[in-house]
Amino acid sequence: MSSADNPQRDPLGELEVVTRLLAEEVSAFRLRAQRAEAAQAEMSGGDYDVVSSRSRIVDLETENRNLQERLDEARQRVERLLARLRFLEEQLLADGAQR
């Protein structure tokens, strides 16, 4: 069955869609490349200090670990408080049912 026999199929339309999608993808790649080039130029300039950046990364990673530990400890305390509250609620309900 040829495309002339099948009006549902439009090869020129399909080609236009594929071409448009390809152009959008090329545009996205171009934008990514420009951003990467700008970042590289910034890093290779005289203002970029690799040692201080690495030191800052190490400090931030340490701070992140400390904050995560504090968050875990706080989460455990909240769980213990919730368990106590559940126990007290159960006791209150049990006392009310006995009266």
Side-chain angles (χ1 to χ4, degrees):
M1 182 180 256
S2 70
S3 61
D5 296 338
N6 186 357
Q8 297 289 340
R9 186 160 178 211
D10 179 18
L12 187 56
E14 289 177 21
L15 180 60
E16 288 174 357
V17 169
V18 169
T19 304
R20 183 177 38 82
L21 293 174
L22 184 59
E24 290 173 1
E25 195 167 331
V26 168
S27 177
F29 281 126
R30 182 179 297 125
L31 182 61
R32 287 178 61 195
Q34 289 171 345
R35 287 180 182 162
E37 289 170 355
Q40 182 184 14
E42 181 181 318
M43 286 185 197
S44 63
D47 296 342
Y48 187 75
D49 185 5
V50 175
V51 175
S52 67
S53 293
R54 177 65 185 146
S55 176
R56 180 73 176 135
I57 290 170
V58 169
D59 291 344
L60 289 171
E61 288 174 343
T62 301
E63 182 181 357
N64 189 36
R65 276 192 301 276
N66 292 337
L67 290 171
Q68 187 63 46
E69 289 173 5
R70 290 175 58 193
L71 185 61
D72 291 341
E73 291 169 2
R75 188 175 288 120
Q76 290 173 4
R77 285 193 302 268
V78 167
E79 288 297 325
R80 285 194 299 268
L81 286 171
L82 284 172
R84 287 181 191 170
L85 284 173
R86 286 185 198 111
F87 174 77
L88 291 173
E89 285 177 344
E90 290 171 5
Q91 291 296 314
L92 185 61
L93 290 173
D95 286 347
Q98 289 179 358
R99 290 184 186 190

